[in-house]
């Protein structure tokens, strides 16, 4: 057993009806790891991430957080989720709140922090992602890149132990991809533990410490970026990378 | 033309003699409509929320059974009260209570009965509106809330219902306006509101048409004022179209300039890179990235 691991995913499978989307997924996340999950569209990357923070209930297998099985009956999923942040492709900022309120509400309602402290904390993280100036704006009033930075600040304000990203830059116009990636890069340098589904190969290669390649609901190959991306052992990985680079 | 002047004269005469009666009627109508719409909204929101509690196959059978039962009960309530005229509901509720209890239980006042009837009726309409309002909110909103650890109730109260409320506000206004007009059927249970006073007037003199004109103008004034106030409330909830910048945005400057990280920037499992942190601090201070571009 990996006693130092934050997250261990063990033999995780997921089916929607008769459609098996994930099969026997197994990997470990240790503090400070930046794990990139890559793979073709429909290979189950999003489903895996959603199973990891229990937005989707795994059909079988375990998600172990600090040695405790979160899929066991009676475990409070809400408490666990507050320690595992998630950043979505489509931002999912609360439309009825300002940028600042988006980053405050979780701290007050879930972590029961006093309002003033939550506000100060939110400002700190909004500053970190460069959104300090926009605290009074509503989500509909800012650009996609800015929304995603607010979404990151909202997740950070909960002070999670792991941050999950599901294709955080895929919905963005090309000129906004950079601002989000540089925020994520900085987080990685600060030692944040991250699990990132991405199609940004440069990010996977340069920033992550592990790369997981998925195909058809199974982990086909995993290892450090040099190995998986530069010298893949599996034919499917080679095919995927070749097709991907050709685009 | 002459007829028109006659009418104005009659109206003036009627108003002069009976204005307190008309105003009293307006007051009763408005109080009933406001109170019943508010209670109806509360009923509607309660039903809408209960109706949209999600359940999955993993939930305990008891919980699933109760949630299904709630949905059936709400469905029946909505169909019965939406599908029958309010006049008849009023008769059934007002006279039904003493009838079925052999006069042992009476309504304490006709006010109480009227409020109950109109509220329950409004609630039935609102339940469907609220359910639709909740279902129309992007599921991403719920996911965003769940992902930071909010419970179902917290998600509803802080994120979903405020948005659903804004979306169905026009329908709440609609219901209020309908209530202002439709409370006139409450005369069947001897509730004396605005229209009931008209019936009283035409009973004691032959000024049917002048009185009806006063009623028309009265109802139209009430509903126009209501529309106006609702629009104002909608604008307020939407907030202003602009926002104040708190300071300059340092990161949009770097838009599109993501570069490969510095190879000397250290590997990732190492403690935070002091150089990078310093860069961020500088950047925040000066509003731009030094050395960038
Ligand atoms: N709620 C659901 N019900 C049924 N099938 C689903 C559901 N969610 C996902 N799937 C199926 O699971 C498979 C994997 O989907 P998933 O979204 O995890 O892929 P992905 O790797 O994230 O793809 P992409 O790169 O396009 O985001 C797909 O075939 C999809 O149709
Ligand atoms: Mg996906």
């Amino acid at each position: 057993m990996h006693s130092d691991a934050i997250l261990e995913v063990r033999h995780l499978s997921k089916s929607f009806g008769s459609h098996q989307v994930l099969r026997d997924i197994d990997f470990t996340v240790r503090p400070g790891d930046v794990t990139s999950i890559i793979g073709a569209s429909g290979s189950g990357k999003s489903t895996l991430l959603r199973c990891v923070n229990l937005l989707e209930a795994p059909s079988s297998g375990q998600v172990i957080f600090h040695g405790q099985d979160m899929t066991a009956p009676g475990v409070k999923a809400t408490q666990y989720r507050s320690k595992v942040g998630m950043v979505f492709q489509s931002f999912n900022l609360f439309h009825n709140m300002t940028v600042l309120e988006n980053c405050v509400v979780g701290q007050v309602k879930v972590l029961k922090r006093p309002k003033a402290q939550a506000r100060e904390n939110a400002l700190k993280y909004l500053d970190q992602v460069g959104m300090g100036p926009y605290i009074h704006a509503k989500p509909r009033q800012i650009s996609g890149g800015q929304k995603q930075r607010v979404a990151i600040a909202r997740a950070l304000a909960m002070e999670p132990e792991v941050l999950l990203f599901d294709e955080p830059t895929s919905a963005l116009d090309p000129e906004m991809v950079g601002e989000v990636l540089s925020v994520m890069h900085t987080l990685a340098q600060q030692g944040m533990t991250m699990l990132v589904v991405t199609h940004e190969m440069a990010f996977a290669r340069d920033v992550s410490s592990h790369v997981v390649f998925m195909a058809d609901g199974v982990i086909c190959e995993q290892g450090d970026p040099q190995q998986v991306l530069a010298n893949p052992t599996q034919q499917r990985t080679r095919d995927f990378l070749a097709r991907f680079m050709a685009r | 033309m002459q007829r028109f002047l006659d009418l104005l004269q009659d109206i003036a005469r009627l108003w002069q003699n009976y204005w307190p009666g008309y105003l009293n009627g307006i007051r009763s109508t408005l109080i009933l409509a406001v109170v019943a719409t508010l209670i109806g909204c509360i009923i509607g929101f309660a039903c809408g929320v209960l109706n949209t509690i999600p359940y999955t196959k993993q939930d305990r059978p008891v919980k699933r059974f109760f949630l299904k039962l709630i949905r059936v009960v709400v469905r029946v309530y909505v169909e019965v009260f939406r599908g029958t005229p309010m006049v008849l509901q009023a008769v059934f509720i007002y006279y039904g209570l003493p009838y079925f209890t052999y006069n042992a239980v009476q309504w304490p006042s006709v006010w109480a009965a009227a409020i109950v009837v109109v509220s329950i009726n409004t609630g039935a309409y609102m339940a469907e509106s609220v359910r639709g309002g909740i279902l129309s909110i992007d599921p991403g909103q719920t996911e965003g809330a769940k992902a930071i650890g909010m419970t179902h109730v917290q998600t509803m109260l802080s994120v979903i219902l405020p948005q659903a409320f804004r979306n169905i506000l026009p329908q709440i206004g609609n219901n209020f306006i309908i209530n202002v007009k439709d409370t006139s059927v409450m005369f069947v249970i001897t509730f004396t509101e605005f229209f009931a006073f008209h019936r009283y007037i035409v009973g004691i003199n032959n000024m049917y048409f002048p009185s009806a004109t006063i009623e028309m103008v009265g109802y139209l004034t009430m509903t126009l004022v209501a529309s106006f106030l609702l629009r104002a409330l909608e604008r307020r909830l939407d907030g202003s179209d602009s926002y104040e910048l708190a300071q300059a945005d340092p990161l949009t400057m770097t838009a599109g300039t993501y570069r490969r990280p510095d190879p000397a920037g250290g590997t990732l499992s190492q403690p935070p890179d002091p150089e990078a942190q310093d860069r961020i601090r500088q950047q925040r201070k000066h509003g731009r990235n030094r050395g960038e571009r």
Side-chain angles (χ1 to χ4, degrees):
Chain A
M1 276 279 114
H2 312 275
S3 54
D4 62 332
I6 297 184
L7 257 180
E8 299 160 73
V9 174
R10 294 283 167 257
H11 307 297
L12 186 138
S13 297
K14 174 70 187 176
S15 305
F16 293 106
S18 61
H19 178 22
Q20 184 155 31
V21 176
L22 295 174
R23 239 173 321 143
D24 202 22
I25 301 287
D26 229 80
F27 66 91
T28 304
V29 175
R30 291 191 185 74
D33 279 358
V34 177
T35 307
S36 289
I37 303 176
I38 60 172
S41 182
S43 55
K45 308 180 296 294
S46 299
T47 308
L48 173 57
L49 223 52
R50 294 164 55 79
C51 282
V52 165
N53 76 347
L54 302 180
L55 277 179
E56 210 76 75
S59 305
S60 64
Q62 297 162 318
V63 176
I64 298 166
F65 185 66
H66 287 300
Q68 227 193 329
D69 182 9
M70 290 295 130
T71 58
V75 174
K76 278 254 180 289
T78 51
Q79 263 190 12
Y80 162 65
R81 286 200 201 104
S82 71
K83 295 178 193 148
V84 180
M86 174 111 168
V87 174
F88 299 87
Q89 182 175 355
S90 51
F91 327 123
N92 295 349
L93 292 180
F94 307 134
H95 298 316
N96 58 322
M97 302 179 196
T98 63
V99 163
L100 181 61
E101 288 162 351
N102 261 280
C103 301
V104 167
V105 64
Q107 299 182 64
V108 172
K109 303 276 172 189
V110 180
L111 303 179
K112 312 289 180 206
R113 287 185 183 150
K115 268 227 170 80
Q117 187 200 335
R119 196 186 133 88
E120 203 164 300
N121 203 38
L123 284 173
K124 180 175 94 187
Y125 288 107
L126 282 166
D127 264 340
Q128 182 179 340
V129 300
M131 284 304 290
Y134 295 94
I135 51 175
H136 303 305
K138 286 279 179 77
R140 66 182 142 89
Q141 295 166 322
I142 56 179
S143 75
Q146 293 175 325
K147 280 184 202 165
Q148 198 58 297
R149 288 191 272 147
V150 173
I152 293 173
R154 176 175 75 181
L156 288 173
M158 301 295 289
E159 269 136 16
E161 294 182 43
V162 197
L163 211 44
L164 315 180
F165 293 80
D166 189 3
E167 301 195 28
T169 58
S170 300
L172 298 179
D173 290 340
E175 70 267 26
M176 295 170 185
V177 169
E179 65 192 63
V180 172
L181 286 182
S182 64
V183 164
M184 290 170 62
H185 183 203
T186 308
L187 283 177
Q189 284 185 320
Q190 292 173 343
M192 186 74 202
T193 312
M194 316 201 303
L195 191 56
V196 187
V197 172
T198 186
H199 289 303
E200 296 287 336
M201 289 304 152
F203 182 90
R205 182 186 56 213
D206 300 329
V207 182
S208 49
S209 55
H210 295 273
V211 173
V212 171
F213 170 66
M214 286 185 64
D216 289 334
V218 294
I219 293 181
C220 188
E221 183 162 1
Q222 60 176 318
D224 64 61
Q226 295 309 322
Q227 188 253 303
V228 178
L229 296 174
N231 305 299
T233 59
Q234 301 292 315
Q235 186 58 40
R236 303 184 74 169
T237 319
R238 279 198 286 272
D239 289 347
F240 170 77
L241 290 172
R243 248 184 299 131
F244 203 85
M245 296 311 173
R247 278 200 301 199
Chain B
M1 196 64 215
Q2 185 55 42
R3 204 84 192 100
F4 205 69
L5 289 177
D6 288 347
L7 178 63
L8 282 180
Q9 234 168 31
D10 285 345
I11 290 173
R13 201 139 29 94
L14 257 184
W15 184 255
Q16 208 161 35
N17 291 334
Y18 296 107
W19 64 268
Y22 282 113
L23 284 189
N24 240 330
I26 287 184
R27 207 178 59 126
S28 300
T29 292
L30 280 180
I31 292 175
L32 178 57
V34 168
V35 172
T37 307
L38 284 180
I39 298 176
C41 279
I42 293 169
I43 296 175
F45 269 90
C47 291
V49 170
L50 288 173
N51 235 342
T52 47
I53 298 175
Y55 58 83
T56 57
K57 287 206 194 78
Q58 275 88 15
D59 284 322
R60 281 173 301 133
V62 189
K63 181 180 170 191
R64 261 158 51 204
F65 173 77
F66 266 107
L67 289 177
K68 272 185 198 160
L69 184 69
I70 286 172
R71 288 183 194 197
V72 171
V73 170
V74 171
R75 180 100 231 133
V76 170
Y77 159 63
V78 168
E79 293 301 344
V80 167
F81 281 87
R82 245 183 8 176
T84 54
M86 195 162 71
V87 197
L88 287 177
Q89 293 164 19
V91 170
F92 265 79
I93 290 177
Y94 187 63
Y95 298 111
L97 189 61
Y99 179 84
F100 284 109
T101 58
Y102 294 98
N103 287 327
V105 188
Q106 298 272 356
W107 280 94
S109 77
V110 67
W111 266 100
I115 288 176
V116 165
V117 171
V118 183
S119 300
I120 291 182
N121 204 277
T122 311
Y125 281 94
M126 290 303 302
E128 281 298 284
S129 301
V130 173
R131 196 175 74 93
I134 291 172
L135 293 181
S136 73
I137 304 294
D138 170 17
Q141 297 287 302
T142 308
E143 302 225 313
K146 286 242 172 85
I148 53 173
M150 289 171 110
T151 62
H152 179 73
V153 174
Q154 288 169 338
T155 305
M156 274 289 161
L157 291 180
S158 304
V159 178
I160 306 299
L161 288 184
Q163 295 182 45
F165 176 79
R166 171 62 191 87
N167 288 350
I168 64 173
L169 195 56
Q171 292 173 62
I172 295 178
N174 238 344
N175 272 304
F176 176 71
I177 285 172
I178 289 173
N179 280 346
V180 166
K181 297 184 299 177
D182 283 6
T183 45
S184 55
V185 302
M186 286 300 130
F187 72 84
V188 293
I189 58 170
T190 70
F191 183 83
T192 52
E193 39 66 72
F194 192 35
F195 185 68
F197 190 71
H198 167 72
R199 290 168 57 86
Y200 164 77
I201 288 290
V202 301
I204 58 173
N205 59 33
N206 60 351
M207 305 255 253
Y208 194 98
F209 201 66
S211 178
T213 312
I214 292 179
E215 293 281 320
M216 284 290 255
V217 173
Y219 275 114
L220 196 59
T221 310
M222 284 191 270
T223 54
L224 284 179
V225 169
S227 291
F228 175 79
L229 291 177
L230 272 157
R231 286 280 154 72
L233 177 61
E234 277 176 35
R235 272 198 304 276
R236 237 188 98 109
L237 284 181
D238 287 344
S240 84
D241 283 338
S242 57
Y243 55 89
E244 297 274 317
L245 272 191
Q247 67 199 55
D249 176 5
L251 264 187
T252 39
M253 305 288 290
T254 68
T257 60
Y258 175 71
R259 300 170 310 164
R260 289 188 58 166
D262 201 340
T267 46
L268 301 151
S269 39
Q270 277 177 354
D273 170 16
E275 203 187 307
Q277 285 191 326
D278 186 51
R279 224 169 21 236
I280 296 168
R281 222 173 295 127
Q282 288 291 336
Q283 176 186 317
R284 231 177 289 157
K285 209 153 70 194
H286 299 295
R288 67 187 173 87
N289 258 354
R290 277 194 311 156
E292 201 90 78
R293 65 169 62 214

